[in-house]
């Protein structure tokens, strides 16, 4: 399978970058530690481990967008992608080769977060397993964003847009760091019109054993994922033609 | 038999005609160089012949396969070493070669055999375990050419393969390219006159998307009335030779 070869290469490129490991795994764990420490001293229900961990796992996925967009943008900037376009790889091989490797990395990142949360006091239940699996559609959203950004931005621009803007949007508009109801108004409306808070609510619902209650949130996430994935594919095909 | 035949091959980018009705034939096993100043249309021609960009007019046939209608067949028979070094920096030399074997659908056994062959042929075996991104420019270029050759192409495109290399690295790469003569068809673009003269069976000189002359280095010099190939090139490009 030609696509598998490309996917394996992409996995290696991502996992061999120590910065990726530091941000992808290290940063979410540091946040869990830090916010749990705050919670221990100044109890805030928002930072209770069962409430906090789903938000951190979703936030961690914004780094998946950064990794995937950076890899694609760098490949576009170098002549490697141009070389690969002259091989028998098809357009679909490229799309799958760039998206599929991120999904298991995202699952692993999520599992590590929940594993660490258990050390910090999260109850060990089968719902954790469902929560890890429930991250898949959310991962698709972030991977699609990566494909989209990587298809149109340079690697430097990716650093700004995904590394700074998206991670901040994903953090502030997700309801992880503060209660959106407390802010209210236009901020709350904007947050609920975007997928990030829905992704966190979906994860919280699954971890809390109320997956059925989270289905409406899942619909938002899936809807956004599909639209962004479609746009990303169109933009990727366009830049392929422009080569 | 011709490995490459172009028929009025053209490429128009908005208001720029990058390649203008190019008619060119390259024999199998020939090492053919395309020369020209910047913007002459060399790279665009290579891009069209390697199915990277579609022509806006005409067609070209690689071993009888159309670059417009039979791109999959064409891609299966070519190897391309682009102008910039095209390697995966995070992979080792061996992994880079394996990547290309994989995208061409080689079996594990065939991949291993080809990797060993390429390692020996381009003297890469001793750096198989090194990360490609950590290699010097000359070794990266050598790996890039190995990646173009490992798929057993019938036609190899080398776009400015020695650009930016030091004298020693360039000389070593010349030896590699020379060794290919007669085995596969090689299309080489370069800015270095001495490189084209030393390596090529025939040379085509392009300007403003048109092929001005296409002959052996000796004949080109004779036509231009000079002993130095560089002088002949300058005279042709300036339009001083009819």
């Amino acid at each position: 399978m030609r696509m598998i070869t490309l996917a394996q290469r992409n996995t290696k490129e991502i996992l061999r970058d120590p910065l990726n490991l530091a941000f992808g795994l290290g940063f979410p764990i540091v946040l869990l530690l830090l916010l749990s420490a705050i919670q221990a001293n100044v109890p805030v229900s928002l930072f209770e481990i069962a409430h906090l961990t789903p938000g951190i796992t979703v936030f961690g996925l914004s780094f998946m967008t950064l990794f995937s967009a950076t890899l694609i943008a760098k490949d576009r900037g170098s002549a490697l992608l141009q070389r690969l376009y002259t091989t028998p790889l098809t357009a679909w091989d490229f799309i799958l080769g760039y998206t599929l490797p991120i999904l298991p990395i995202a699952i692993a990142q999520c599992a590590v977060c929940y594993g660490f949360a258990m050390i910090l006091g999260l109850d060990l239940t089968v719902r954790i397993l469902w929560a890890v699996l429930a991250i898949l559609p959310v991962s698709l959203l972030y991977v699609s964003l990566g494909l989209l950004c990587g298809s149109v931005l340079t690697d430097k621009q990716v650093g700004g847009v995904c590394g700074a803007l998206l991670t901040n949007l994903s953090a502030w508009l997700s309801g992880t760091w503060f209660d959106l109801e407390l802010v209210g108004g236009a901020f709350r409306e904007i947050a609920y019109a975007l997928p990030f808070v829905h992704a966190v609510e979906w994860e919280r619902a699954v971890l809390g054993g109320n997956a059925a209650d989270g289905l409406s949130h899942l619909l938002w996430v899936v809807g956004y994922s599909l639209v962004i994935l479609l746009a990303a594919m169109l933009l990727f095909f366009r830049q392929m033609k422009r080569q | 038999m011709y490995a490459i035949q172009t028929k009025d091959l053209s490429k128009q980018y908005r208001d720029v005609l990058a390649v203008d009705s190019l008619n060119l034939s390259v024999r199998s096993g020939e090492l053919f160089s395309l020369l020209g100043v910047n913007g002459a249309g060399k790279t665009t021609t290579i891009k069209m012949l390697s199915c990277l960009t579609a022509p806006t007019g005409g067609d070209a046939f690689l071993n009888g396969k159309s670059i417009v209608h039979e791109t999959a067949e064409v891609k299966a028979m070519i190897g391309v070493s682009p102008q910039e070094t095209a390697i995966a920096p995070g992979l080792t030399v061996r992994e880079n070669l394996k990547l290309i074997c994989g995208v061409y659908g080689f079996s594990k056994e065939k991949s291993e055999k080809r990797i060993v062959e390429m390692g020996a042929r381009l003297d890469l075996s001793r750096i198989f375990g090194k990360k490609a991104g950590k290699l010097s420019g000359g070794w990266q270029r050598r790996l890039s050419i190995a990646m173009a050759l490992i798929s057993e192409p019938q036609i190899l495109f080398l776009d400015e393969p020695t650009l930016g290399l030091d004298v020693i690295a360039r000389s070593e790469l010349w030896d590699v390219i020379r060794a290919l003569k007669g085995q596969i068809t090689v299309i080489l673009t370069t800015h270095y006159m001495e490189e084209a003269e030393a390596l090529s069976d025939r040379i085509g000189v392009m300007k403003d998307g048109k092929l001005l002359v296409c002959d052996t280095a000796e004949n080109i010099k004779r036509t231009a009335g000079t002993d130095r190939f560089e002088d002949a090139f300058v005279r042709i490009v300036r339009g001083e030779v009819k």
Side-chain angles (χ1 to χ4, degrees):
Chain A
M1 288 278 283
R2 296 184 164 108
M3 179 277 290
I4 298 287
T5 304
L6 179 64
Q8 284 173 339
R9 174 262 163 177
N10 293 338
T11 307
K12 284 177 187 166
E13 290 275 7
I14 290 170
L15 293 181
R16 283 180 185 174
D17 188 338
L19 273 179
N20 286 353
L21 290 178
F23 276 93
L25 284 179
F27 198 49
I29 286 174
V30 167
L31 284 175
L32 269 177
L33 255 178
L34 195 68
L35 295 175
S36 295
I38 293 173
Q39 160 69 14
N41 292 301
V42 189
V44 185
S45 64
L46 196 67
F47 293 163
E48 283 171 6
I49 198 73
H51 204 67
L52 175 68
T53 311
I56 296 294
T57 59
V58 170
F59 173 68
L61 291 177
S62 58
F63 292 106
M64 297 298 128
T65 303
L66 178 64
F67 302 159
S68 124
T70 303
L71 180 65
I72 299 167
K74 274 189 178 169
D75 283 352
R76 278 178 47 234
S78 78
L80 180 67
L81 206 52
Q82 206 177 85
R83 176 200 284 284
L84 293 176
Y85 287 157
T86 67
T87 69
L89 285 171
T90 64
W92 286 106
D93 289 332
F94 284 104
I95 296 287
L96 293 173
Y98 277 115
T99 50
L100 289 185
I102 309 290
L103 297 178
I105 298 174
I107 294 279
Q109 183 199 46
C110 179
V112 168
C113 277
Y114 277 111
F116 198 76
M118 281 191 282
I119 296 171
L120 295 175
L122 183 68
D123 292 337
L124 173 61
T125 69
V126 73
R127 292 200 298 264
I128 291 178
L129 179 65
W130 303 136
V132 171
L133 292 176
I135 208 78
L136 257 179
V138 186
S139 307
L140 186 65
L141 167 74
Y142 283 90
V143 170
S144 304
L145 277 168
L147 184 65
L148 188 139
C149 293
S151 299
V152 293
L153 303 174
T154 64
D155 57 331
K156 278 185 182 170
Q157 290 169 329
V158 162
V161 172
C162 298
L165 186 65
L166 180 75
T167 48
N168 275 293
L169 279 179
S170 185
W172 304 124
L173 299 171
S174 67
T176 302
W177 317 101
F178 48 84
D179 193 341
L180 293 173
E181 300 299 332
L182 288 178
V183 182
F187 190 88
R188 183 194 173 281
E189 295 304 314
I190 291 170
Y192 275 91
L194 291 170
F196 311 114
V197 65
H198 296 289
V200 172
E201 292 296 341
W202 160 244
E203 267 296 293
R204 281 177 179 160
V206 174
L207 185 66
N210 310 308
D213 295 344
L215 285 177
S216 61
H217 295 295
L218 177 64
L219 278 178
W220 274 89
V221 173
V222 171
Y224 261 103
S225 298
L226 293 178
V227 170
I228 293 169
L229 182 62
L230 188 67
M233 288 195 300
L234 290 174
L235 289 167
F236 189 86
F237 292 149
R238 191 186 68 158
Q239 66 82 26
M240 230 180 138
K241 273 193 170 178
R242 282 186 172 178
Q243 285 286 334
Chain B
M1 184 190 166
Y2 289 115
I4 299 173
Q5 276 191 300
T6 70
K7 302 266 172 76
D8 294 325
L9 189 67
S10 303
K11 182 71 183 183
Q12 175 97 39
Y13 291 109
R14 293 190 182 167
D15 53 347
V16 177
L17 187 56
V19 177
D20 185 4
S21 299
L22 181 69
N23 288 293
L24 176 70
S25 298
V26 179
R27 289 187 293 275
S28 285
E30 190 175 10
L31 200 156
F32 185 90
S33 288
L34 269 180
L35 298 184
V37 292
N38 288 336
K42 309 182 298 287
T43 297
T44 305
T45 302
I46 297 269
K47 281 187 171 181
M48 284 192 285
L49 295 177
S50 54
C51 301
L52 265 177
T53 186
T56 49
D59 200 349
F61 299 88
L62 274 62
N63 287 333
K65 304 291 181 191
S66 160
I67 62 164
V68 177
H69 305 293
E70 297 165 289
T71 51
E73 289 87 343
V74 169
K75 284 179 175 185
M77 72 168 82
I78 62 170
V80 180
S81 180
Q83 203 171 88
E84 293 167 61
T85 308
I87 54 171
L91 301 190
T92 64
V93 169
R94 173 184 275 278
E95 287 169 341
N96 266 281
L97 295 172
K98 200 172 168 189
L99 166 69
I100 300 298
C101 289
V103 300
Y104 278 90
F106 286 5
S107 67
K108 201 176 169 187
E109 293 73 27
K110 187 175 179 182
S111 297
E112 194 51 40
K113 182 171 165 274
R114 289 296 294 157
I115 290 169
V116 171
E117 281 173 12
M118 278 301 117
R121 193 165 172 181
L122 281 101
D123 199 21
L124 292 168
S125 310
R126 59 200 165 96
I127 53 160
F128 266 166
K130 282 197 175 174
K131 280 247 184 91
K134 304 275 184 198
L135 299 175
S136 67
W139 283 102
Q140 287 189 348
R141 203 60 66 86
R142 195 179 273 248
L143 171 61
S144 188
I145 291 176
M147 288 165 75
L149 280 170
I150 202 164
S151 60
E152 300 174 318
Q154 296 167 40
I155 300 168
L156 176 67
F157 294 98
L158 298 175
D159 197 2
E160 307 208 17
T162 61
L163 186 71
L165 297 188
D166 62 42
V167 177
I168 302 297
R170 184 181 301 170
S171 164
E172 287 174 355
L173 265 187
W174 279 18
D175 291 338
V176 171
I177 295 166
R178 240 186 232 114
L180 299 172
K181 283 177 84 165
Q183 296 179 25
I184 57 175
T185 309
V186 181
I187 307 297
L188 174 83
T189 72
T190 180
H191 276 295
Y192 301 116
M193 300 298 126
E194 72 281 14
E195 183 166 287
E197 189 179 9
L199 298 175
S200 317
D201 295 312
R202 283 192 307 146
I203 297 166
V205 178
M206 292 184 76
K207 187 190 177 190
D208 298 333
K210 288 182 187 296
L211 188 65
L212 299 180
V213 67
C214 181
D215 212 330
T216 62
E218 283 308 312
N219 285 345
I220 290 174
K221 284 191 286 189
R222 197 175 301 127
T223 309
T226 171
D227 292 335
R228 289 185 68 232
F229 184 74
E230 190 167 331
D231 293 339
F233 172 80
V234 171
R235 293 193 66 189
I236 289 166
V237 170
R238 282 184 177 165
E240 295 167 7
V241 178
K242 293 296 169 192

